[in-house]
Amino acid sequence: MQLTIITDLNKCVGCKSCQVSCKEHNTGGAFGPVPDHDPYGEPDGMWWNRIVSMEADTYPNTSVLYLPKACMHCYDAPCVPVCPTGASFKREDNGVVLVDYDACIGCQLCMWACPYGVREFDEHEGVVKKCTMCIDRIEDETLAPDDRQPACVQSCPTHARTFGDLDDPSSLVSRLVAERQGFGLLPELGARPAVHYLPRRPMPGPVDDEAVDRALAERY
Amino acid sequence: MRPTWPLLLMTGLQGLAGGLIITLALLGLTLGARALSVEAWSLLSLTSLILVGAGGAASIFHMHRLAGARFLLRRLATSWLSREVLTTTLLGLATAAAVVLPRLFPAAAGWYPELVGAAAVLALIALFVTAMIYATIPAMLSWHSPLTVVTMMGTGILGGAVWADAGWLLAGPHTALSSAVFAGLLRGSLVLWALFKVLQFRTFREARSRIRAETGFGLPRGPHRLLDTGTTRAPYRTQPQVWPSIGRLRRRLLEGGVLALALAVIVLVGIQTAWAGLSAALVATVLTYVERWLFFADATHSSLVWFPAATEGMALPRAGTHA
Amino acid sequence: MAQPRSVPLPMADEESGSSRTVHTTCYMCACRCGLEVTVENERIRFIKGIAEHPVNKGVWCAKGGAGLMTEYSPARLTTPLMREPGSERGEGRLVPVDWDTAMGTLEGWLRNIRATDPRGLAYFTGRDQMQAFNGYWAQQFGTPNWAAHGGFCSVNMAAAGMYSIGGSMWEFGWPDTEWARWFMLIGVAEDHPSNPLKLAISELKDRGGRFVVVNPVRSGYGALADEWVPIRPGTDGALFMAFLHVLHREGFFDREFLARYTNAAQLVIDAPGTAGDGLLYRVDGEPAVIGPDGRLTEFMAARGQGQLEGEIREAGQRLVPALSRLTERIRTTTPRWAEELSGVPRRTIVRLALEMGETAFRHPVELPIPWTDVYGDSFATTVGRPVAFHAMRGLAAHTNGFQTVRSLFTLMMCLGAIDRPGGFRYKSPYPKQIPPPVKPDPDPHAYRANTAAPAPLLGYPTSPDDLLVEGDDGFRIDESYSWKYPLAAHGGIQNVIRNAYDKTPYAIDTLLVYMSNLAWNSTWNTLDTRDMLKARDENGEYRIPHVVVFDAFDSETVRFADLVLPDTTYLERWDATSLLDRPISEPDGPADSIRQPVVPPPPGVRPTADVLIELGSRLRLPGFTDGAGRPRFHSYRDFIEHWETAPGSGIGLLAGHRGRRGDKILVGEPNGSQLDAYADHQAFWRLRLDRGAQYFRMANRAYLDWAHKAHFLPSTSPIVLNLYSEPLQRFRLAGEGLWPGKKPDDPRLRARLQRYMDPVAFWHPPLEDELPDHERYPLRIITQRPMTHYHSWGSMNAWLRQLVNENPIFINAELARRENLHEGDAIYVESRLGRMTARVAISDAVEPGTVWTWNAIAKGPGAWGLHPEAPEATRAILVNHIIPDVMRLDGPGTFFNNDPVTGQAGWYDTRVRIYPADRQDVWPRVDPVPPLPGSAPAPKRLAYTTRDGHPMETIRPVPLLPKRASGDIQEGDATCS
Ligand SMILES: Nc1nc2c(c(=O)[nH]1)N[C@H]1C(S)=C(S)[C@@H](COP(=O)(O)OP(=O)(O)OC[C@H]3O[C@@H](n4cnc5c(=O)[nH]c(N)nc54)[C@H](O)[C@@H]3O)O[C@H]1N2
Ligand SMILES: Nc1nc2c(c(=O)[nH]1)N[C@H]1C(S)=C(S)[C@@H](COP(=O)(O)OP(=O)(O)OC[C@H]3O[C@@H](n4cnc5c(=O)[nH]c(N)nc54)[C@H](O)[C@@H]3O)O[C@H]1N2
Ligand code: SF4
Ligand code: SF4
Ligand code: SF4
Ligand code: SF4
Ligand code: SF4
Ligand SMILES: [Mo]
């Protein structure tokens, strides 16, 4: 089993709901707090999920894209083998990559090893923290079924995010990846991220070019 | 990348210590126990011990949570850092043995070459292991190269050799083989090392163009422009692999500085007086630190594709271009 | 390699301490999503959406989730404050006072005003969600000078909708993305309205609908567009008129719809120069059409068979169908003409028009829902035109916004896409009559000492006689309903400070500001406006004698107050989102909701509504006291449950759980347990209309009968959509001097009425473009709302402020090349008002003639609980500094930078030029304000958790102010503690 979150970039509007709901849940959750430095001055806080915004191509063909970026829960997670203490580990049963704060020495080597820049360092506690796939929600049997999913998936106002098992070919996430050309980031670095993104899917207009040309030539 | 003092001290001192002990071992191997006076053997191996000890002490400050230290050897199977802890500790123990045994048992003084030789083998391993920590991270686009191992080990070994040379000059030659031959070999190696360093500077520069906006953004068509890193500022403070670019000019100056210092060492080593030897050791030490600082500070991490202000050194953090 | 294993995790059941969940309604923005709040150890643990809620269906946005940081913000006001004696207004030196003193002082001022001239009170509310209550309070007080925020917000959208179709966008109506195949989003930034629009776009995408975005900037929703249509600001009206041109020519007008449900066929008198010109021709008081037999027939009697072309002569007058007025006009609004103005290529215009026509007419949706219309004709199915539109301030915030929005609604009417599947759909209680039959009293003598105003203070004039004018001059302090801004349906909050300062039309005594940051981001010409607030007259008295602010946080405006009354947060009070206000209804039926206290407020804080109710009782306002002067309501909670629109009407703020036993809906006696019932039902109430009553509601027999019973409508008559606006024509006649009643003398006023009160939609340039030197400023500057911030109030939130705390000016890459500007360069942005500095950010996602930045990120140094050197004060820019407040100041009388029909603020008309700056800092900058007395030093680290055993030393640094005995401080003698 490999748990994952798929984000449909054809739906993500970059609202950062998932960025905040992640912090909202996790700062009080089992792996929290998720601290902030100088919160009312020059702030620099910890975020396990950051929405990157970017532009590509040139006016007027510009694309604008939002990319929620949290731990990719890589199949070949490079952050895991480098960790000297075993604090970083990948769960055998569900593929979630976690940090055992009790074993972590805060050497931050895993932060270098991670190609995605998603691990963050808590100077105060001396440990590295990151997205846990909300393991404390999905494994908490006292929660209602609807709450047993990552906070960032639950809050997403466009339902751009889907949570599930990528190793199960019949799961929704697997089907989405297969049918919609799901891709992972920086594949060339070989980490084999479990988190995937679905590309844009522009919907063409119902009027063909010739009809427009004809109308233009004849009437406008 | 953010260079931190514990890392600089740790890797630098470990390198010098290893280099020194390796050089001593080479002397012992070629010239036997009589290569140096007993005092010189003892003093120089003690120096190595102090260096490796200080490096080890510095590494403690690199740990931010000592409570986890008891698990440090848990990942020997995969983690070069785990292995570093082991090998550098063994290096320290072997060096300590070389220092302590002859003192406890004066009869063992003749065994210096063997004792030092054993430590040197461990030193080679330790230096290799340390370099492999850096060379085996694919995400560190600049480091992920055999050059990292070559130059890192080279810096340590040659730096240590210059120290040894100085010691040798101070202690005076004891055998037929003139230290001038040694110095010649040393100067040749330094030239070679500098060449590797130039190659590495190029690799570092090329690493910047290996930041892949196409695969990092998932958008095939450029130019790419990053508008927002998730928060208004790139998270420098919590991301040690992200550090504002040191700037083209400063980088050039520092690269030139490294080569100039290397040249100075080459010249000084050639003079063959005690004072020149000492100066060479001093300059080599500075060289080690400038080189190491630049190694860390100029490293390029794949995640910079999402933190471009860091690579471009922009006044405004909100925008950057990767064409 | 990896060494997989499990570690035991601390789970919820290991967490000790108390935990409970409370349902309420969010207030981090105006969307009003349903929230489930988890409280653990008496601190807020988690905020999430309510899955069953009609607004947000379980999701929540960044602002909503960050609500807990708002609750615990150090910017919270925790005690009443008064300006430090001897200090100047605006210096921001405030001292704590107790509630008795604060209430006594305010009561004294208000009592005096009310006893002399109630117009001396100007009460203006910003992001207000209790307009029904606040308006009622002001009406009971007797001043005409009350308004909510619509004047600086989107009254163009609201009014143009109400005068066209008896509904509008957002709270009044909605694009039906459930069935739409083609959806055009125009001039909507990233968040209007937040979660519903995101859900709607997602729904459209799931179904493979096509999404077209018209906006000078591509961002947010626009990023997802299948096609981005960059447009020059202020020219959308031209684009819509060109769409109409093409649609008409291609035969894509829904003629049946126009004839049956709009006034397109109704006959207009064509008699220029006479008093009847342009009015509808009536037979027995009913509008007439040319019947199928070519004879004059009453509209209803023609049963939708009225002719849309031709003319008829009657009693010597030429009568033409209203549609011909439109078709005449759109003859010249060609795609070529629109391309010239808007920068949208002719080809794109034609293609988009063909796309909407194709989709509407060749791919209609047909739902198996039988219904019957007002003509008694029954239909087996409900057929829709699946082209939907949604628009907001990109249209509204221009001084041609009213007519631009009119043209959009005209387009929608011609496509037949009003209240049909896949098109636009009303939200209850809309549709209303066109316009809704509410008007303020136009008699200046109606606003008398110690008397309540006879009518609601805001409404919809239908003729010049409804205006609040004496001769040429308006008599509201904001000049709403004057000749300058005749249809100012939401008031003109942005005009208040300058007029009060100018003492035009008269001086006021007290400016009462509730929930608006009028001294900063919701004003224009910010520095001058701040000076006007501080200005003194010849006698050394403040020109505005008293400024009173109700706020929950330490805003820039709080620091301009003489008296500050600290409000609770939305998580600490009772509240109602009401059908009488801006409802949360969905297209399928009415809904409303409540807020309830989730956590107790800090001790020194009181809900503003409770304070107003107490003031109402103390002042013995008629609605708030009985004949004997005894208070009618003890709190807002009490008011919500017991107040009725009229005694015995059975209609109150909430429509659910009415009646003594709580078993009635919409109409029923007040219920003393109503709020508890709401609290037990996830804090909201909704009703789904019968399927057969959900569409064509302006003319749906079943719906109209029901809506009358529900008191949404005064009768069961159909609502005929106004393609042609007779009320506007009446104003035009006044401009021509032909109206028998009120008319202005000033030729400038007459010219404005003639030009802008056009009964048929048209495009005119924004007023800014008519100023002589406008070409000196070739660019237009606009702002967008960031999705993560609600106006000024995100910056005191420790999490949200990290998401945006500085803002560059985004300029097109081509423009940057032309001006030789680079990323990060410091520039001046100069308008006709003055200049400010900014930093360049280069972007390809902005139209080359436009520059833009985020709205309301900049903060005054020291305000909002932030460090004076915080990036919001040192690196963020506020474009309001250079947005002109008036058109020009020569000659008597000021015309504000407002739409000439509705008085909507023209935020996005500002023209600028940019050039390199000789300074690197943010400029202009205002003086820092000192920390509020008693505020705790800001923590260096914040690690929020609600778990047991984690003390929160860093949260809620509640200022422990010295407790003072009541009466300790008198006005004028307070000293700093
Ligand atoms: N997150 C968040 N949500 C909010 C608010 C908030 O502050 N923050 N405020 C609320 C309030 S009070 C309001 S009024 C609404 C406003 O909601 P919007 O109407 O979405 O708000 P604006 O940010 O004013 O966006 C105007 C959009 O119009 C574009 N625009 C400007 N001029 C033109 C033009 O001439 N033509 C076209 N086609 N587009 C143009 C701008 O680029 C921008 O994208 O949002 C509400 N929701
Ligand atoms: N340049 C430019 N200027 C604009 C706009 C633009 O697009 N561009 N948009 C305009 C528009 S559409 C609008 S609506 C206005 C909005 O402008 P404002 O109405 O001024 O809105 P806010 O900045 O949100 O200020 C609201 C005040 O309410 C306070 N507040 C928050 N919560 C509570 C509460 O629970 N109780 C009380 N009593 N007070 C509370 C806040 O602290 C703040 O001081 O700005 C306008 N200004
Ligand atoms: S910081 Fe912690 S988790 Fe990361 S490598 Fe070091 S010990 Fe492992
Ligand atoms: S994304 Fe980074 S932290 Fe997460 S599993 Fe992959 S390498 Fe590790
Ligand atoms: S899965 Fe949980 S921890 Fe990971 S990004 Fe989403 S909310 Fe954050
Ligand atoms: S919540 Fe959804 S739409 Fe918003 S940024 Fe995250 S993935 Fe995108
Ligand atoms: S959209 Fe507005 S009301 Fe809804 S959760 Fe977000 S802030 Fe709250
Ligand atoms: Mo607004």
Side-chain angles (χ1 to χ4, degrees), chain C residues 218-429:
Chain C
R218 179 169 208 172
S219 73
Y221 306 144
L224 302 186
D226 298 313
E227 178 167 353
W228 172 42
V229 184
I231 189 169
R232 288 189 199 126
T235 63
D236 303 72
L239 182 70
F240 303 146
M241 297 302 282
F243 286 155
L244 282 164
H245 175 96
V246 178
L247 289 169
H248 185 245
R249 218 151 148 177
E250 303 292 325
F252 285 138
F253 267 28
D254 191 336
R255 301 175 64 85
E256 190 191 345
F257 183 89
L258 286 170
R260 290 180 85 89
Y261 306 121
T262 79
N263 63 5
Q266 293 181 4
L267 292 168
V268 174
I269 302 168
D270 181 39
T274 71
D277 183 44
L279 300 181
L280 295 180
Y281 185 80
R282 287 185 168 75
V283 175
D284 299 334
E286 290 299 318
V289 297
I290 308 174
D293 52 0
R295 286 229 283 266
L296 211 58
T297 316
E298 269 181 39
F299 173 74
M300 284 306 290
R303 301 177 56 85
Q305 304 288 306
Q307 296 191 14
L308 293 170
E309 270 101 28
E311 65 169 81
I312 194 168
R313 292 204 156 262
E314 185 70 21
Q317 297 183 101
R318 180 173 175 264
L319 309 177
V320 294
L323 185 68
S324 63
R325 285 293 168 94
L326 176 69
T327 50
E328 237 166 77
R329 173 151 298 158
I330 58 180
R331 239 200 324 260
T332 53
T333 62
T334 60
R336 204 181 288 279
W337 165 81
E339 167 176 339
E340 197 65 23
L341 292 165
S342 65
V344 181
R346 187 167 56 105
R347 185 170 211 290
T348 308
I349 299 176
V350 171
R351 182 171 43 75
L352 291 173
L354 293 178
E355 283 187 19
M356 49 184 109
E358 277 279 332
T359 312
F361 295 94
R362 310 254 153 85
H363 307 277
V365 265
E366 191 167 357
L367 304 183
I369 301 171
W371 70 286
T372 305
D373 74 5
V374 282
Y375 303 109
D377 292 337
S378 295
F379 305 88
T381 60
T382 301
V383 179
R385 308 254 172 253
V387 284
F389 298 83
H390 183 67
M392 212 55 225
R393 292 187 64 259
L395 305 187
H398 291 284
T399 52
N400 60 5
F402 177 83
Q403 289 291 2
T404 297
V405 179
R406 269 280 286 159
S407 58
L408 175 58
F409 281 111
T410 303
L411 175 67
M412 289 157 65
M413 283 187 260
C414 290
L415 284 166
I418 304 288
D419 215 38
R420 294 174 72 176
F424 168 91
R425 291 186 67 201
Y426 296 107
K427 291 178 171 181
S428 293

Side-chain angles (χ1 to χ4, degrees), chain A residues 83-85 87-88 99 104-110 119 128:
Chain A
C83 172
T85 59
S88 274
V99 181
C104 180
I105 55 164
C107 67
Q108 302 164 58
L109 182 58
C110 52
R119 295 181 156 244
V128 161

Side-chain angles (χ1 to χ4, degrees), chain C residues 194-223:
Chain C
S194 178
N195 288 331
L197 193 50
K198 293 184 188 117
L199 288 163
I201 292 171
S202 166
E203 194 176 34
L204 180 88
K205 294 243 162 194
D206 279 341
R207 290 179 31 256
R210 182 158 154 83
F211 182 36
V212 179
V213 166
V214 182
N215 200 311
V217 185
R218 179 169 208 172
S219 73
Y221 306 144

Side-chain angles (χ1 to χ4, degrees), chain C residues 27 126-127 149 152-153 393 514-518 521-522 550-553 555 567-570 573 608 783 785 790-793 855 864 879-880 883 907-908:
Chain C
Y27 201 172
R127 310 299 320 129
H149 77 288
F152 61 34
C153 183
R393 292 187 64 259
Y514 167 58
M515 213 181 266
S516 189
N517 202 358
L518 274 178
N521 56 290
S522 51
F550 291 107
D551 208 304
F553 305 97
S555 75
D567 197 359
T568 46
T569 68
Y570 67 106
R573 62 182 181 238
T608 295
T783 57
R785 278 135 175 71
Y790 196 57
H791 299 283
S792 58
W793 82 45
N855 183 43
W864 295 100
V879 301
N880 298 50
I883 299 180
W907 299 108
Y908 295 162

Side-chain angles (χ1 to χ4, degrees), chain A residues 11 17 24-25 27 29 36 38-42 47 55 62 66 89-90 147 158 203 213 219-220, chain C residues 4-5 45 47-48 60 202 206 210 218 220 250 346-347 801-802 843-844 867 875 940 942 944:
Chain A
K11 280 183 165 186
S17 165
E24 191 196 353
H25 165 68
T27 195
D36 302 289
D38 200 5
Y40 303 104
E42 185 73 65
W47 298 88
E55 255 176 51
T62 327
Y66 302 100
F89 63 99
K90 187 170 173 71
D147 291 334
T158 62
M203 201 48 64
D213 288 335
R219 298 185 284 281
Y220 305 101
Chain C
R5 78 205 157 80
R45 165 68 183 90
I47 296 178
K48 67 168 191 157
W60 66 101
S202 166
D206 279 341
R210 182 158 154 83
R218 179 169 208 172
E250 303 292 325
R346 187 167 56 105
R347 185 170 211 290
R801 69 180 291 259
Q802 293 180 50
S843 167
D844 273 297
H867 192 278
R875 297 200 298 272
K940 263 293 157 209
L942 171 65
Y944 184 78

Side-chain angles (χ1 to χ4, degrees), chain B residues 12 17 35 39 59 83 95 131 185 188 191 218 226-227:
Chain B
E39 293 73 39
S59 73
R83 294 168 190 163
T95 315
L185 284 171
V191 171
L226 197 106
L227 295 175

